[in-house]
Amino acid sequence: MENLRPNSANPKADLNYRRKKNAEEMRYQVVSFALMIFLTLIAFAVVHFEGFSHWFVAPFIMLLAVVQVIFQLYYFMHMSHKGHETPQLFLFSGLSVALITVLTFVTITWI
Amino acid sequence: MSTYAHKKGFGATIWDYLTTVDHKKIGILYLMAGGFFFLVGGLEALFIRVQLAVPNNDFVSAGLYNEILTMHGTTMIFLAAMPLIFAFMNAAVPLQIGARDVAFPFLNSLGFWLFFFGGVFLNCSWFLGGAPDAGWTSYASLTMEAHTHGVDFYILGLQISGIGTLIGGINFLVTIVNMRAPGMTYMRMPLFTWSSFVTSALILFAFPALTVGLFLLMFDRLFGANFFDVAAGGNTIIWEHLFWIFGHPEVYILILPAFGIFSEIFATFSRKRLFGYSSMVFATVLIGFLGFMVWAHHMFTVGMGPIANAIFAVATMAIAVPTGIKIFNWLFTMWGGNIKFTTPMLYAVAFIPSFVAGGVTGIMNAVAAADYQYHDSYFVVAHFHYVIVGGVVLALLAGTHYYWPKMFGTLLNETLGKITFWLFLIGFHLTFFIQHFLGLMGMPRRVFTYLPNQGWETGNLISSIGAFFMGIAVIILLINVVMTQVKNVRVGNDPWGDGRSLEWAIPSPPPFYNFKQLPLVRGLDPFWIEKMEGKTEMTPAEPLGDIHMPNPSFLPVTISFGLFVAAFGALYHVDGKDWALPVLFVGMGITLISMLLRSVKDDHGFHIHKEDFENEDKGGRA
Amino acid sequence: MASVQEKFTEMTWPSSPEKATLEAKNKFLGFWFFLGGETVLFGSLFATYLALKDKVPDSSHPLAKDLYSMDLTFAATMLLLTSSLTSVYAMYHMKNFNFQRMQAWLLITVLLGAAFLGLEIYEFNHYVHEGHKFTSSAFGSAFYSLVGFHGGHVAFGLLWILSLMVRNAKRGLDLYNAPKFYVASLYWHFIDVVWVFIFTVVYLMGMVG
């Protein structure tokens, strides 16, 4: 298999560019981590503060979880990068099957 | 470097197969193991039919009948049909996409050995206190009441072989996505490769549900959990859902590759491009998608309520649309073609009316209100044997004849093949057609005997006679195989003369590296395109160079064997046997140490150098 | 043709080492497919848990809202979320061909994971004393299966990352092991994804009632 090596005339410049790009990406990762922690804090706070109705809390913290998982998948697991089309297709297919399963078990399992 | 130049001793050949990571040899292993279990399952079917041939028969006892019935279904689905499909996938898919091997040769071998040891474990139950007897679906309300270890053999055996299947599925997905030859776009892939792709995706998403279901059942039976114990808050419907979330896609896992095999055969022997190729691909994907939306039609009588029943009824009927697309495409492929009625083609032609009959009764079953009448009657038995025997088994027999030359380098005898075909086809319809009417007359399925004077005698006798026709057909096939291999008349690259896809462009059987130079694919049916331009070989897409190949390994056998041993420990642990826990640990130890060895040892494979090819061309080849 | 055994410098190190060879590409894609299957596996376990939540034989058994404690769950969540970030740092240094730093961050990841596992064992032990056992009710069976399966994944992930670290300590990075590190970190993130749903669906919703 051919090696996907950069063919720049000046390898030093190329290295510096890649370093910078990686560092920049790492910054995004830290930002998304901060957001994830923030979302987690909100979720725990909403449950901790007992004034909210059950009908508000359950869907709301589910929404927070979904947003957080999108951060995990697209930033931490690099699904936003190029070349992840097939992984996306299969992950979301798996997710659909999982969702249908969950839906079934909360609706038509107890009769 | 040539594989056919030197003869090896018997022991060396056995060792070669135990350690092989070559997809072609693994295909042969799947064919042999799957074929063996097919014979076992067939024998069980004959016992069933002998018992039911006359009313009040006592050929087997009621308890033994339940065991035979359960093992017939379980063996045929998990240990015969699945591995035989994997046999053809291994034999054909890498060749059809122009690859030198699968993506994970080691895992390919591991998948086979897990399946094999799982199957052997399941069948050990016959000699160790009785086989499972809760039906192939093993509904929790029955398994919780089973007092022998039979069901535990079912749980652990299927768990082990299920992991093997899952590994195989992932392997083929990656192979098809990553390893296609230059120019082999998705929409140029042969239909068998396409159906293998969709089937592998279904395996990936369906088997985890079975894994979980089997875990829950195992926890309940062996470790004191309460998932299905109603008194402790459990619910047996959970098993039914998990089983069918797996079980319905499983039906499509079996039938889609069958469709693929027939698509290849129709195009080859009609000497025409497959009619409506893109709609065939579309229909395959759509069937795969809808396959996940319909599982609860197995549970209409559970009492899920009218809304759920209606949704699943409509979704089920929708599957008839893509299936209909396929049927018409096959008919139009033949229309105006220059048809050659070889043995595989006979199977393909007979498949259409047989399978359509099974499909039509499927629609009848899908009508939820009417299903209350059909449910648990012989009508259902007739329906699923029409789709599975009339679809899958006919395809497996057709595929055996069609791919035999590519796998073994010899052509099965056509006369014997046609005798097998006619006996099998007649026997099949004799056995199962009458069962529709038995069911409508009220005969329930899974009963070990019945009383006279209910009008069921003649029907059952005819059905049993038909079963023996199929038995004789299979024996003739075996004779054919032995005769062909003893005569050993070698055939060339394209023994059918009309091969269209890449596998027919290389020797039969292919050298272990498949393609000396990767072929350049210039369209659908690439080999046919080259032949039409008067060439006899594919145009290479690369200069002659070194080829990287994987090393053989014995570790897949030891990993699987460890789980096989551990399963005995887990199974007898509940009886309070002193040796059970040590056996469990020894077994897991064998598996884990083998896995550790695999990860610690660098395995970079080896290279075939291009100089070796050049020497071979100068006369190295005998 | 580049060999996987070739020695690299930071100049020659490819920008996407996890996909630089055919073997690596296969591993990468196959692992994502595996994660798709794992999604269904955990989906089935979540579904079973939701169907059996609070299903106990009689009122002497504790229910979800009597059991779960917010402090413990919060601590466990922070540990695992942070370990996800540290494994991102490890992969950052992998891409920069800085083996020592990668190992260091992986070690931190492993320590955080082990702390999470310790908390979980403490938690399970606590529940057992409260009468919430694997064998006491359908609710107990479903709870320990779901959370235990996740815990088992954490334990396996720890062993996996540790053996990769030990195994390659002397060899450094090459194109043979870089994809392995990358795939192990994907696995670690996936464990985190599952935990996000566990703390939301099992613990927080359990506390709400």
Side-chain angles (χ1 to χ4, degrees), chain B residues 31 89 118 131 176 372 384 468 486-487 503 508 535 546 589 620:
Chain B
L31 188 73
M89 279 163 68
I176 293 171
Y372 276 72
F384 67 69
F468 279 91
V486 169
K487 277 191 195 153
E503 73 266 39
S508 316
K535 296 179 195 149
D546 291 359

Side-chain angles (χ1 to χ4, degrees), chain B residues 102-104 166 170 173-175 177-179 197 204-206 208-209 211-212 215-216 219-220 223-227 229 231-235 238 242 245 546-548 595-596 598-604 607, chain C residues 1 4-5 22-23 25-38 40-42 44-45 47-48 51-52 55-58 134-139 141-143 145 149 156 163 167-168 171 176 180:
Chain B
V102 290
F104 305 110
L166 190 63
I170 293 179
L173 283 174
V174 180
T175 305
V177 175
N178 273 358
M179 315 265 289
F197 183 68
L204 176 63
F205 298 128
T211 307
V212 170
F215 263 122
L216 303 189
F219 288 156
D220 260 27
F223 300 102
N226 297 305
F227 292 102
D229 182 356
N235 182 336
I238 287 177
L242 285 177
I245 287 173
D546 291 359
I547 297 177
H548 180 247
M595 285 167 73
L596 194 72
R598 167 72 185 166
S599 25
V600 170
K601 222 175 111 232
D602 273 344
D603 186 1
H604 293 300
H607 282 92
Chain C
M1 222 163 70
V4 287
Q5 290 132 294
L22 179 63
E23 284 78 15
K25 275 186 197 146
N26 288 344
K27 197 162 276 175
F28 170 83
L29 194 63
F31 199 77
W32 270 105
F33 289 158
F34 170 74
L35 291 183
E38 286 261 282
V40 181
L41 184 112
F42 276 105
S44 306
L45 286 166
T48 308
L52 295 178
K55 303 287 189 234
V56 291
D58 56 62
F134 185 62
T135 54
S136 63
S137 64
F139 172 44
S141 306
F143 170 81
S145 293
F149 248 87
F156 182 80
S163 52
R167 163 96 183 83
N168 296 304
R171 295 166 202 242
Y176 185 66
K180 294 181 188 229

Side-chain angles (χ1 to χ4, degrees), chain B residues 77 113 116 134 211 220 226 235 265 290 334 369 388 418 423 441 470-471 526 565 613:
Chain B
I77 297 284
W113 289 108
F116 180 76
T211 307
D220 260 27
N226 297 305
N235 182 336
I265 291 173
L290 288 174
M334 284 192 287
I388 292 197
K418 284 175 184 167
L423 281 175
M441 284 190 263
M470 286 193 276
V565 172
F613 288 124

Side-chain angles (χ1 to χ4, degrees), chain B residues 239-318:
Chain B
W239 166 265
E240 290 191 30
H241 276 301
L242 285 177
F243 185 84
W244 287 117
I245 287 173
F246 147 76
H248 198 81
E250 166 72 13
V251 182
Y252 293 98
I253 291 169
L254 296 178
I255 199 67
L256 286 178
F259 287 171
I261 290 174
F262 283 131
S263 301
E264 304 290 313
I265 291 173
F266 276 121
T268 304
F269 296 112
S270 304
R271 302 187 217 184
K272 249 180 88 192
R273 188 191 141 123
L274 188 69
F275 186 89
Y277 170 83
S278 12
S279 69
M280 282 299 236
V281 172
F282 169 73
T284 307
V285 176
L286 192 61
I287 291 175
F289 173 76
L290 288 174
F292 275 100
M293 309 291 160
V294 299
W295 78 87
H297 67 212
H298 298 269
M299 300 166 62
F300 280 151
T301 60
V302 162
M304 299 177 297
I307 296 173
N309 276 8
I311 292 172
F312 284 105
V314 173
T316 305
M317 292 176 203

